[in-house]
Amino acid sequence: MLDPSQIHLKFGEHLHSSWVSEDCEGIASPSGLDGLFERLVSHKEVNLLPQQAISLKGPTLTDYDQEPTTVEEQEHLINALLGHQRNLAKTISNLSRFSKVLQKRLIILQRVYQAVSCKHHVRKICSEDSPLNTSVTGKSEDEKSNLGLGMPQGNDALLELGVKTGINILFSLLRQNWVLAKQTGQFSFCNDIIQTALSVVENFPPLSLSNETKLTPLGVDSLNQINVFLQQASSPHSEADLTGQRLAAELMIALAAQRGSLRYVLGWIEMSMKISVTVSKSKTKDKDAGKIHWQSFLKIITDMINPMGGSSGLTSTMLRDISPDDNGLVSLYYAAVILLEELYFLASDYASNCCSGPDENCNNSTSHSNANLSGSCGEVYVWGSNCTHQLAEGGQEKITTPKYSAVFTDCQQVEAGQFCTFLIYSDGMVGACGKGSYGRLGLGDSNNCSVPKKPLFEKKYVKKISSSKGSDGHSLALTTTGEVYSWGDGDYGKLGHGTHSTQKIPKLVKGPLVGKVVKCVSAGYRHSAAVIEDGELYTWGDGEFGRLGHDYTSSKNFPTKVQSIESVGLVACGGSHTLAVSQDGKTIWSFGGGENGKLGHGDTNRQLKPKVIEALNGLYIRKVACGSQSSLAVTSSGQLYAWGCGAILGCGSAEYTALRPRLVEDLQSKRVVDIACGDSHVIALTHGNSLSHIHQTTYIYVYMKVEQKVTLKICK
C-alpha cells in the first residue's frame, strides 16, 4: 500500500545535483518509474512507514427493537454510516494500482522540482514540518554550518539582522541615557521604557512564553539577550539609577514567570542574593538600594504559582513578617527567600500528590467509617443520550448541554456505562438507572429503570464502580474492604465467575482474589482487570488479541495473574487493549490489539504480554484511560498525552493517527488532574476546576461539580 500518510519524505541536499539533470519522461514507463522510486528509497530520501490496519469498525448501531429513536438520531446515524463508507472507499482507492503509480510519479516530480529550485532560485532549507520535510538530522553543527543548513536565508536573514542589531542599539541607548542623565541631571526616558515593557508583560496570560517550541529560534535568542541585559542593569554597579535597577529586576522576574522554567526563576533568585550581598558590603547610604516593589512582586509570583497547581494564595511563612517601607519596597533578599520557599512548597505538593506514584485510579481509596465515606458531595450535571432513561430526566430526549440533575443527589461518585448510569451515595450505597438488558443494572431483572434504584448488594459499602462502555454491558464494584463484585452480560467469562452466564445481581468475584485486598478495578468491552494491594495484576474475559497479557489469546473465566509484570499501581481496560502503570508511576505497559497504534509502540502490532511504552520513559504517570481505538495518560505535572486514532487525540482531525504518545497541545498550559474516557471521547478536568472535552460522537457522560463554578471548554 502506498498511502500518502504512510510516506515520510526527507530529501538530502547533497543529492540535489544528481536530480537536477534527471529526465522526467522516465516516469512514463513502468520500468523507469520503478527505477527512479527505488533510487529514492535506497538513498533513504523516502521512508515507507509501517502499514496501518484498516479499521472496519463502524458507528455503534442503536437497538431499534428496544429503543425509540428520533428523526435527528436517525439522521445522525445515517451520516455516520455514510462518513464511514467514504473513509473506507478512500482507503480502498489508495490500494489500487493506479493510485500507487500516481503517488510515485508525484513524489519523483516533487524531488526533481526541489533540486532545480535549490539550484536556480533562493536557497531555502525546508523544515521538518514543511511539505517536503527536508531532513538535516545526523549532521554535526559544523557540518550544518559548512553546508549552510539551518542558517537563515533571504528575508529570514534580514529579519534576524534587524532584530539583533535593533536590540543591541536599544540596550546601548539605554545605558548611554542613564549615564547622561546622571551627569547632566536631565530626565531619563529609560525607566519609562522598562516600565512600559513591565506593564505589557504583566498583562500577558500566565505562562505565555512557556512553550519554546512555538517560539522561533530568533525569539528565544532575543529573550535570552534581554534577560542578560536586565541582569546587568539590576546590578548596583550598572549605569542604571536606583529606579532603573528596581524596574529591571521586576521585569526580569516577570519574564521568568512567563517562561515557566525553573532555570530562569532560580537565575533571578541567585541574582537577587548577589545584589543583596553587594549592597550590604558597600554600606551605601541610599535606603532604596537593592529593593523591589512589594505589591508588584507579589502579583508576579502569585500569577506564576497558581497556573502551576499551587493554592489560591501564597504559603510562605515569612509573609507575615515582611513590612514594606514607606515607598512600598522590600529587600531583594527577602523577596528571593520568599520565592524560594514558595518553590519548595510547590515541589512538596507535587512530590506528595503526584510523583510518589500513580493516582489510585479510579478508586479514590477512601476508608469507610460509620457507614459514611469521607469527602464532600457535589452537584451533578448530565448531558448526552437519554434514550433509555440513563440520565433520569423524565423523558427520553437528548440533552445537548450540561444540565443540573435534581435526581442525582447526595452523590460522591458517578459512573456512566453503556446506556446506564451508576451512583455511589455518601453512605456507600449504590444507585442505578437506564437500560436493564442482560441485568446490567444489577437489580435482579432486565427491565429499564427511569429513576435510580439500589442494586442488590449484600450490605456492602462501595467506593468505586467501573462499567463497560461497549459490548453488552457489564460492571465491576470495589468495596471499602477490597472485595470485587460483578454483574451484567457474562460473555467471554468477563464477570470472573467461571461461566459465561448473565448475572442480574452483583456477585462476589472469588477464585484467586479470595483473601486479597483489591485496590483498583477496570471493566473493558470484553474483559476485566484488577490490581491487588501488593501490586499483582489479574485479568479475565476474552483473550483475543492478547488483551489479557498472558502471552496467549485464550480466554479466562476466572481472574488470572499476569506473570510478566509486578508492582502494578493501576490498570485501565479499553476495547481490545489494556494499560497498566507501576506503583511508582515511572513505568507504563500496554498489551492487546495494536491497530491504529493505540499501544503506543510506534507500530500496529498486537502484544500478547505487557510491553513498556518507551516514549513515556522519564515521566511520572498519574492516571491512564482507554477508548476503543485510543489511549491517554496524565503525568504528575498535569500534562495529557494521547495516542491511537480519532478526534479523541485532540489534534483537530478525526482521521489523525499517532503511533506513539503525543502531547495534547491545547491543554499544555493547563494542569490536568483527572480524565474520563468513553468509546470515542474524553473529558479532562484541570486544576482550576474547568472541564474540557474532546469528542468524535456524542455519548453520555456525567461528572460531579465540586466547586461553585465549572466552565466547559471545547477543544478544537
Side-chain angles (χ1 to χ4, degrees):
M1 175 177 176
L2 193 60
D3 192 316
S5 63
Q6 303 302 309
I7 301 174
H8 181 69
L9 306 181
K10 51 176 185 178
F11 298 152
E13 183 166 316
H14 62 289
L15 298 173
H16 283 344
S17 58
S18 64
W19 285 97
V20 168
S21 58
E22 190 60 55
D23 184 6
C24 294
E25 293 183 0
I27 64 175
S29 66
S31 59
L33 176 64
D34 291 339
L36 291 173
F37 191 79
E38 182 61 31
R39 179 171 148 196
L40 285 172
V41 174
S42 63
H43 290 162
K44 297 185 178 180
E45 293 190 288
V46 169
N47 287 334
L48 302 179
L49 302 179
Q51 181 175 335
Q52 296 286 324
I54 300 177
S55 176
L56 300 178
K57 181 180 180 297
T60 303
L61 297 178
T62 305
D63 187 352
Y64 289 101
D65 294 334
Q66 300 291 332
E67 304 164 17
T69 59
T70 64
V71 174
E72 291 79 8
E73 289 176 324
Q74 292 177 15
E75 291 180 350
H76 174 78
L77 180 59
I78 291 173
N79 291 332
L81 287 170
L82 289 174
H84 177 71
Q85 290 300 311
R86 282 194 297 268
N87 291 333
L88 186 60
K90 179 181 176 182
T91 301
I92 297 303
S93 69
N94 285 329
L95 293 170
S96 68
R97 175 172 174 75
F98 173 79
S99 177
K100 296 177 182 179
V101 170
L102 181 60
Q103 285 296 325
K104 288 182 179 180
R105 287 175 176 169
L106 289 175
I107 291 172
I108 292 170
L109 289 175
Q110 190 177 9
R111 181 64 185 95
V112 174
Y113 172 82
Q114 172 69 0
V116 173
S117 177
C118 290
K119 177 179 179 180
H120 297 290
H121 301 284
V122 178
R123 188 180 183 206
K124 273 191 172 184
I125 304 301
C126 301
S127 67
E128 185 177 340
D129 293 329
S130 70
L132 295 181
N133 205 21
T134 307
S135 174
V136 296
T137 56
K139 298 182 184 297
S140 67
E141 293 302 319
D142 290 339
E143 289 175 322
K144 292 179 183 179
S145 178
N146 293 334
L147 292 172
L149 300 179
M151 303 298 292
Q153 304 289 328
N155 291 334
D156 291 339
L158 290 176
L159 179 62
E160 181 170 341
L161 174 64
V163 170
K164 290 188 174 181
T165 303
I167 289 176
N168 283 325
I169 292 174
L170 174 61
F171 293 162
S172 298
L173 289 175
L174 292 177
R175 293 189 182 99
Q176 186 180 40
N177 185 255
W178 272 320
V179 173
L180 291 176
K182 286 181 180 179
Q183 293 175 352
T184 63
Q186 295 179 353
F187 172 76
S188 172
F189 64 81
C190 304
N191 298 340
D192 284 344
I193 293 176
I194 298 181
Q195 180 64 64
T196 300
L198 179 61
S199 300
V200 171
V201 173
E202 287 179 340
N203 288 325
F204 283 170
L207 302 176
S208 294
L209 304 174
S210 61
N211 188 1
E212 292 193 354
T213 61
K214 299 221 174 145
L215 297 174
T216 63
L218 178 59
V220 175
D221 289 344
S222 299
L223 283 174
N224 292 336
Q225 198 173 353
I226 292 171
N227 191 68
V228 172
F229 168 77
L230 293 175
Q231 186 171 355
Q232 294 172 350
S234 302
S235 171
H237 301 307
S238 70
E239 300 88 348
D241 55 25
L242 291 176
T243 302
Q245 294 172 19
R246 174 177 59 81
L247 289 172
E250 292 177 9
L251 181 56
M252 184 177 172
I253 184 58
L255 287 172
Q258 288 291 345
R259 299 182 79 172
S261 172
L262 192 61
R263 167 189 173 188
Y264 304 114
V265 176
L266 292 179
W268 185 88
I269 292 175
E270 181 184 15
M271 179 205 71
S272 299
M273 293 293 190
K274 289 180 178 179
I275 291 176
S276 299
V277 172
T278 302
V279 170
S280 64
K281 288 184 177 180
S282 65
K283 298 181 180 180
T284 178
K285 296 181 180 180
D286 197 320
K287 62 178 182 179
D288 290 340
K291 292 188 176 182
I292 190 173
H293 193 273
W294 179 236
Q295 291 301 322
S296 296
F297 173 74
L298 285 182
K299 182 180 183 304
I300 291 170
I301 65 171
T302 300
D303 290 343
M304 176 182 69
I305 296 296
N306 284 342
M308 298 174 66
S311 60
S312 57
L314 302 180
T315 55
S316 173
T317 57
M318 291 185 61
L319 287 172
R320 60 179 178 270
D321 300 324
I322 300 298
S323 298
D325 61 20
D326 295 338
N327 295 323
L329 305 178
V330 296
S331 169
L332 280 170
Y333 171 80
Y334 290 120
V337 172
I338 288 173
L339 179 53
L340 198 58
E341 192 173 13
E342 290 296 336
L343 293 176
Y344 165 76
F345 287 130
L346 185 64
S348 298
D349 176 57
Y350 271 78
S352 60
N353 294 329
C354 305
C355 297
S356 58
D359 198 354
E360 293 258 332
N361 194 21
C362 346
N363 266 328
N364 298 333
S365 69
T366 339
S367 61
H368 181 267
S369 175
N370 298 324
N372 283 291
L373 295 175
S374 61
S376 60
C377 297
E379 298 174 349
V380 176
Y381 283 69
V382 299
W383 67 92
S385 172
N386 192 34
C387 61
T388 57
H389 300 287
Q390 59 262 54
L391 301 185
E393 283 297 309
Q396 294 177 289
E397 296 79 15
K398 184 184 299 179
I399 301 175
T400 58
T401 58
K403 178 182 179 182
Y404 170 71
S405 174
V407 179
F408 295 167
T409 58
D410 192 30
C411 301
Q412 278 210 312
Q413 294 180 40
V414 184
E415 171 73 357
Q418 187 191 38
F419 301 111
C420 58
T421 302
F422 296 94
L423 315 171
I424 299 181
Y425 298 108
S426 59
D427 60 358
M429 297 291 102
V430 176
C433 62
K435 189 173 184 176
S437 60
Y438 302 98
R440 74 182 72 200
L441 299 182
L443 301 176
D445 54 37
S446 296
N447 300 325
N448 292 355
C449 186
S450 60
V451 294
K453 291 185 179 180
K454 294 184 178 181
L456 305 177
F457 278 99
E458 303 171 353
K459 294 184 179 180
K460 296 292 183 178
Y461 302 109
V462 176
K463 64 178 180 180
K464 170 63 188 175
I465 289 181
S466 177
S467 187
S468 172
K469 307 302 186 292
S471 191
D472 290 319
H474 77 291
S475 301
L476 304 175
L478 179 62
T479 70
T480 54
T481 55
E483 295 174 312
V484 179
Y485 285 75
S486 66
W487 65 94
D489 176 54
D491 284 349
Y492 314 105
K494 59 191 176 186
L495 297 183
H497 302 310
T499 68
H500 293 187
S501 302
T502 294
Q503 182 66 37
K504 296 184 178 180
I505 61 173
K507 181 178 179 180
L508 179 65
V509 179
K510 299 180 180 179
L513 297 185
V514 172
K516 293 182 170 63
V517 177
V518 177
K519 56 179 285 189
C520 176
V521 294
S522 181
Y525 288 32
R526 296 181 176 182
H527 70 301
S528 304
V531 177
I532 66 172
E533 200 171 39
D534 62 1
E536 293 179 350
L537 173 63
Y538 288 80
T539 59
W540 59 98
D542 187 7
E544 187 181 11
F545 303 111
R547 74 188 86 193
L548 300 183
H550 299 146
D551 203 15
Y552 47 78
T553 58
S554 300
S555 298
K556 293 292 182 181
N557 296 334
F558 282 108
T560 304
K561 181 182 176 182
V562 178
Q563 299 290 344
S564 59
I565 57 175
E566 55 187 16
S567 299
V568 178
L570 60 88
V571 65
C573 297
S576 62
H577 71 298
T578 308
L579 299 179
V581 183
S582 62
Q583 291 176 334
D584 59 9
K586 294 181 179 180
T587 306
I588 175 171
W589 300 273
S590 64
F591 47 97
E595 63 272 18
N596 297 304
K598 61 186 178 183
L599 296 184
H601 302 307
D603 55 38
T604 58
N605 301 328
R606 68 178 182 177
Q607 295 293 331
L608 299 182
K609 60 181 181 180
K611 181 179 179 180
V612 175
I613 302 178
E614 296 180 356
L616 294 176
N617 285 347
L619 299 175
Y620 286 88
I621 305 302
R622 188 173 186 182
K623 188 167 184 177
V624 290
C626 298
S628 63
Q629 297 298 326
S630 57
S631 305
L632 300 105
V634 178
T635 70
S636 61
S637 61
Q639 298 293 285
L640 178 61
Y641 286 83
W643 59 100
C645 77
I648 198 170
L649 303 186
C651 64
S653 171
E655 306 299 324
Y656 188 86
T657 297
L659 300 180
R660 290 185 175 86
R662 65 178 297 277
L663 186 65
V664 179
E665 294 185 355
D666 284 348
L667 296 177
Q668 189 170 3
S669 62
K670 306 289 185 181
R671 179 184 174 190
V672 177
V673 296
D674 201 2
I675 53 173
C677 194
D679 179 271
S680 303
H681 75 298
V682 62
I683 297 180
L685 182 67
T686 65
H687 180 268
N689 293 307
S690 64
L691 196 69
S692 303
H693 76 259
I694 310 164
H695 66 91
Q696 179 174 351
T697 308
T698 302
Y699 287 84
I700 167 184
Y701 206 88
V702 295
Y703 69 99
M704 298 193 63
K705 178 182 175 187
V706 180
E707 297 294 332
Q708 291 299 315
K709 295 183 71 176
V710 173
T711 58
L712 184 67
K713 173 187 175 185
I714 307 299
C715 294
K716 296 181 179 179

